[in-house]
Amino acid sequence: MRLWEDPASAEILRSIILTAAQEPVAMHRLRQLFSELVLAVVSHGLPDAERTLRASVIATQIVGMVMNRYIWQVGDIATLPAETVTDLLAPTIQHYLAETLPTKLGDG
């Protein structure tokens, strides 16, 4: 969130995301970077059997927050202080990191 809260880096990040939405090569590269930099760090300490699933559901929270707060600027999430956003999302991300996942996850 610190990068997004800084106007200079936020403009660069916004440009990257908007470009990736229009250009398949840029989307591929963004997906690759996100997997290598964010998901790898998040999933480092997770059990092997659930690592990818847990990292993926954590990504839904991160990407959803970024899109709503910084790209679309939709609703209250766009104007809340960054610390409040962190406080709101932290329990959900912590759940995905440490709590038991549903035993019946379906076939994919």
Side-chain angles (χ1 to χ4, degrees), residues 36-57:
E36 291 170 4
L37 300 176
V38 177
L39 296 184
V41 170
V42 168
S43 66
H44 176 70
L46 298 175
D48 287 340
E50 298 175 342
R51 180 174 289 142
T52 303
L53 175 60
R54 287 180 183 266
S56 295
V57 294

Side-chain angles (χ1 to χ4, degrees), residues 16 19-21 23-31:
I16 290 168
T19 299
E23 299 291 333
V25 173
M27 177 58 78
H28 174 74
R29 183 65 180 134
L30 181 60
R31 190 178 303 125

Side-chain angles (χ1 to χ4, degrees), residues 32-97:
Q32 184 179 27
L33 283 171
F34 189 79
S35 292
E36 291 170 4
L37 300 176
V38 177
L39 296 184
V41 170
V42 168
S43 66
H44 176 70
L46 298 175
D48 287 340
E50 298 175 342
R51 180 174 289 142
T52 303
L53 175 60
R54 287 180 183 266
S56 295
V57 294
I58 290 166
T60 67
Q61 300 301 302
I62 295 169
V63 173
M65 181 276 297
V66 165
M67 293 304 292
N68 280 286
R69 181 175 173 85
Y70 300 107
I71 304 298
W72 300 327
Q73 298 179 349
V74 174
D76 291 343
I77 196 76
T79 57
L80 288 172
E83 185 176 310
T84 302
V85 174
T86 300
D87 290 345
L88 286 168
L89 292 181
T92 300
I93 292 172
Q94 182 62 35
H95 170 77
Y96 292 144
L97 283 170

Side-chain angles (χ1 to χ4, degrees), residues 12-23:
I12 293 167
L13 293 168
R14 189 177 299 104
S15 295
I16 290 168
I17 288 177
L18 294 174
T19 299
Q22 300 296 319
E23 299 291 333

